[in-house]
Amino acid sequence: MAVKMTETVGSVAKKALGFALMNLVIRQAVLFATEKTQLKDVQVQVWANGTLATAASAATRPVALPLWLSDWDKQGHGAGAGSSSSSKLDYSALDDKAFQKHLLEQESEWKNGLAFCLLPQGLKEAIKLDAWPLMARAWLRSFVFANLIYLGLGMAWAYYIYGVYGHTLFPKANTPKFGDVAEQVKVSLGSLPMYSFLPALCEHIVERGWTLAYVRMDEYSYATYFASFFLYMFFVEFGVYWNHRLLHDLRLGYDKLHYIHHKYNKENTLSPFAGLAFHPLDGILQAVPYFWTLFVIPMHSLTYEMMLFTTAIWTTNIHDCVEVECPPIMGAGYHTIHHTTYRHNYGQFFTYMDGFFGTLQYPESVLLARKGKQQTT
């Protein structure tokens, strides 16, 4: 299907410049309106034995975070326990940037431990994994988790919608052919190494203190955390919408990148495995809003990373062709339309952006359901 292009490189550059200026203004407004607690001033609740408590109670006492970490390290529990450098680290003397970096690197090692326990010990020794730079290990961790999510979730999803409930969900047997699914898996697995580079690079930049991301939730009030989360996700939705739309409207973006994903342009060629079947650069561009918004909105670092990987789950859902009416969520019915008309339903989680910018098209089942409700009232 021929796709009419409506953007040029120059028009896209103008939009990008305007968006960057808007982000700069919003960043300054957010910094003015929010108050961050320095890590050295954070108070944690601990039990009598020194372990952290999740909430204050009569049996807990408040302790300054630097003091608790120093005691924890001396007891041999902290990262690098048993080393003289760890036990001699004076947390109270660290500035906030260095303190954030230390805790983020500890958190990174903890996440690495979760991923690398799945790898054979012989393999880890053969590739000398412990000697890899932290960013390289973060890439491998992201790659391991990405494969688990894509293959594990995809196979489970396909088993249930085709094998268990296929007779109900696909009564006309309009399911994808094995060849189509195999190609989607091939494209996705070929792109996962590059996809995994983005969270690793982002984590490295966050550790350097170049964004507004922060490591502990108690650095801000809970009201600020939730307000920032919703504002962050609003900007992500806006960014994903326009990145996706420009990949259709700019010939360079569509012909060189996005057309690979739109080979699956019929309902019976889409499957849960199509969710990550993009050109590597295409997939990264559509995930970049999760990264650049960290420069604008304060966001808890682990929450950001969980939301980024949640997109892999969501994209599995919207490519399965199973319609579930739940407005304003951008479900599979809406996204199937996107794959057949090319000009509608660019949004990620919700329909708001498409509705505002005039690109929303409702699935026929939604229109019929609404018509039926109107007739009964």
Side-chain angles (χ1 to χ4, degrees), residues 8 31 45 54 92 104 117 138 167 178 192-193 210-211 267 301 355 358 363:
T8 65
L31 290 174
Q45 294 292 326
T54 56
S92 60
L104 285 165
C117 70
H167 62 287
F178 178 81
L192 284 182
W210 299 340
T211 70
E267 182 178 355
S301 57

Side-chain angles (χ1 to χ4, degrees), residues 6 31 34 49 84 108 132 151 154 165 168 209 240 258 271 321 337:
T6 61
L31 290 174
T34 57
N49 63 358
S84 58
S108 181
W132 287 24
L151 293 174
Y165 300 108
T168 302
V240 170
H258 201 52
S271 81
C321 298
I337 290 173

Side-chain angles (χ1 to χ4, degrees), residues 67-191:
L67 179 59
W68 179 81
L69 285 172
S70 296
D71 290 342
W72 193 247
D73 284 351
K74 289 176 182 177
Q75 294 172 24
H77 299 295
S83 66
S84 58
S85 60
S86 176
S87 61
K88 291 180 180 179
L89 183 60
D90 184 1
Y91 293 97
S92 60
L94 297 175
D95 62 29
D96 199 65
K97 185 176 180 180
F99 207 160
Q100 291 274 352
K101 182 175 183 291
H102 176 77
L103 294 184
L104 285 165
E105 287 176 346
Q106 284 192 333
E107 184 179 275
S108 181
E109 294 290 16
W110 169 73
K111 291 181 290 188
N112 288 344
L114 293 179
F116 298 159
C117 70
L118 304 172
L119 301 179
Q121 185 62 31
L123 174 63
K124 290 185 283 188
E125 293 175 356
I127 64 176
K128 299 180 180 179
L129 184 57
D130 290 340
W132 287 24
L134 186 59
M135 182 176 168
R137 280 179 282 149
W139 169 83
L140 181 59
R141 176 229 307 158
S142 299
F143 182 63
V144 169
F145 283 147
N147 276 276
L148 283 176
I149 292 173
Y150 177 70
L151 293 174
L153 183 65
M155 287 188 290
W157 208 290
Y159 170 74
Y160 278 101
I161 66 171
Y162 301 139
V164 178
Y165 300 108
H167 62 287
T168 302
L169 299 175
F170 302 95
K172 298 180 181 179
N174 52 334
T175 56
K177 297 178 180 179
F178 178 81
D180 293 322
V181 174
E183 183 183 357
Q184 292 161 16
V185 172
K186 177 184 176 181
V187 172
S188 299
L189 293 182
S191 298

Side-chain angles (χ1 to χ4, degrees), residues 194-338:
M194 282 290 290
Y195 291 166
S196 303
F197 179 71
L198 180 63
L201 175 63
C202 182
E203 189 172 289
H204 177 76
I205 291 174
V206 167
E207 288 166 359
R208 293 301 176 272
W210 299 340
T211 70
L212 299 184
Y214 56 96
V215 66
R216 289 186 59 89
M217 289 182 62
D218 42 14
E219 294 178 68
Y220 289 92
S221 67
Y222 281 111
T224 301
Y225 169 81
F226 286 109
S228 296
F229 175 82
F230 287 112
L231 188 59
Y232 173 87
M233 290 307 301
F234 173 84
F235 270 81
V236 166
E237 192 75 22
F238 180 89
V240 170
Y241 172 88
W242 275 106
N243 273 13
H244 190 183
R245 179 170 172 174
L246 290 174
L247 282 165
H248 281 261
D249 290 347
L250 182 65
R251 180 164 298 281
L252 179 66
Y254 190 85
D255 289 352
K256 300 298 182 183
L257 300 175
H258 201 52
Y259 85 95
I260 292 175
H261 184 67
H262 271 275
K263 289 190 295 184
Y264 320 113
N265 58 1
K266 297 179 181 178
E267 182 178 355
N268 61 353
T269 59
L270 289 169
S271 81
F273 292 101
L276 295 181
F278 294 89
H279 185 287
L281 185 56
D282 183 0
I284 289 173
L285 284 173
Q286 296 198 55
V288 159
Y290 285 88
F291 173 41
W292 80 45
T293 310
L294 295 177
F295 290 92
V296 183
I297 308 295
M299 184 66 172
H300 182 239
S301 57
L302 190 58
T303 303
Y304 139 77
E305 194 165 357
M306 292 173 65
M307 290 306 302
L308 180 60
F309 277 88
T310 297
T311 62
I313 301 174
W314 184 249
T315 196
T316 300
N317 168 60
I318 63 175
H319 288 89
D320 66 3
C321 298
V322 178
E323 294 187 29
V324 178
E325 165 65 346
C326 190
I329 293 175
M330 180 73 74
Y334 292 90
H335 200 69
T336 302
I337 290 173
H338 172 76

